Amino acid sequence: HKMKKVEKWFHIVPCSLALAYSITALCTNTFGPSPSGFCGLTFSGYPHGCESNSEVECTHKREQFNRVLAVIGYLWPSLCILYVSIVMFLLYRAVRDIEINAEKYSFLAKFKGHNKKKTRKRSRRVMIQGILYCAAMVFTWTFTFITVVILLVSKEFNQVINSIALFFNPLQGAFNFLIYLIPVFR
């Protein structure tokens, strides 16, 4: 019954974050292809070469991107990481509370004593899986944060760090898949 009240927020929050990201990029005219192959917020002018060639008019400019860089580069992924951490903690607490309540009515716990490590193994597994999901998300977004910091501090685009970020960002789904399979291989 409690989950039904909260379940809608598990859908509303991620969808509204993605929608806010897209609307912000569209309103500031920074959504489109980039030379690195990423289609999203562009780091450079479009069409390619327009910043160095005065004959070609830029439709996407670096200055437009810098206006929303701090908001989207830090706020949205940070909110997503915070959201996943909170949800995983709430899930852990719910499983732990169920196990604590089940211990009260356990025959073995009343007469033989009980070992908390054995009786609360489900909450421990949920906690470990939640930590792994959060760690995968932090690891995936670390290189994107580094790219944004380098761009803000030096005003130069580091292709190597960006390539690493572009490699790891799609792998978040693969990391989540592997973490999801952990209970199958236990």
Side-chain angles (χ1 to χ4, degrees):
H1 179 67
K2 289 181 183 179
M3 282 304 285
K4 286 194 177 203
K5 292 179 184 177
V6 180
E7 184 179 4
K8 65 181 175 186
W9 293 104
F10 293 154
H11 300 287
I12 292 172
V13 171
C15 290
S16 46
L17 287 176
L19 192 60
Y21 171 85
S22 300
I23 289 172
T24 304
L26 287 172
C27 290
T28 57
N29 199 22
T30 56
F31 197 72
S34 70
S36 63
F38 177 71
C39 189
L41 285 173
T42 56
F43 286 92
S44 61
Y46 182 78
H48 306 300
C50 71
E51 292 173 333
S52 61
N53 188 352
S54 61
E55 296 175 12
V56 179
E57 182 181 344
C58 287
T59 57
H60 300 115
K61 295 182 180 177
R62 184 181 298 265
E63 294 81 30
Q64 293 169 326
F65 175 73
N66 287 335
R67 286 187 299 206
V68 294
L69 180 65
V71 173
I72 293 175
Y74 283 114
L75 184 62
W76 299 129
S78 300
L79 287 175
C80 291
I81 290 170
L82 181 66
Y83 176 74
V84 168
S85 301
I86 290 170
V87 168
M88 289 297 133
F89 176 73
L90 292 175
L91 180 65
Y92 162 72
R93 264 194 28 206
V95 172
R96 189 196 65 200
D97 291 345
I98 290 170
E99 286 181 334
I100 289 171
N101 287 334
E103 283 176 13
K104 291 178 190 175
Y105 304 106
S106 170
F107 178 77
L108 292 175
K110 282 186 178 180
F111 294 105
K112 288 188 175 181
H114 65 284
N115 184 354
K116 288 183 181 179
K117 189 173 184 179
K118 286 184 180 179
T119 58
R120 295 188 187 164
K121 62 182 175 184
R122 285 181 183 83
S123 61
R124 184 178 306 281
R125 286 182 183 170
V126 167
M127 177 185 65
I128 290 170
Q129 198 158 1
I131 289 170
L132 288 173
Y133 278 123
C134 295
M137 194 167 199
V138 168
F139 177 71
T140 301
W141 283 96
T142 298
F143 296 104
T144 304
F145 287 140
I146 292 170
T147 301
V148 170
V149 168
I150 289 172
L151 190 62
L152 285 174
V153 171
S154 69
K155 307 264 191 276
E156 293 292 323
F157 185 71
N158 188 327
Q159 189 64 36
V160 174
I161 299 292
N162 186 52
S163 297
I164 295 171
L166 290 174
F167 176 76
F168 279 112
N169 277 353
L171 285 179
Q172 183 173 350
F175 295 146
N176 288 344
F177 175 71
L178 292 174
I179 294 166
Y180 181 78
L181 289 179
I182 286 175
V184 173
F185 294 111
R186 284 193 184 182

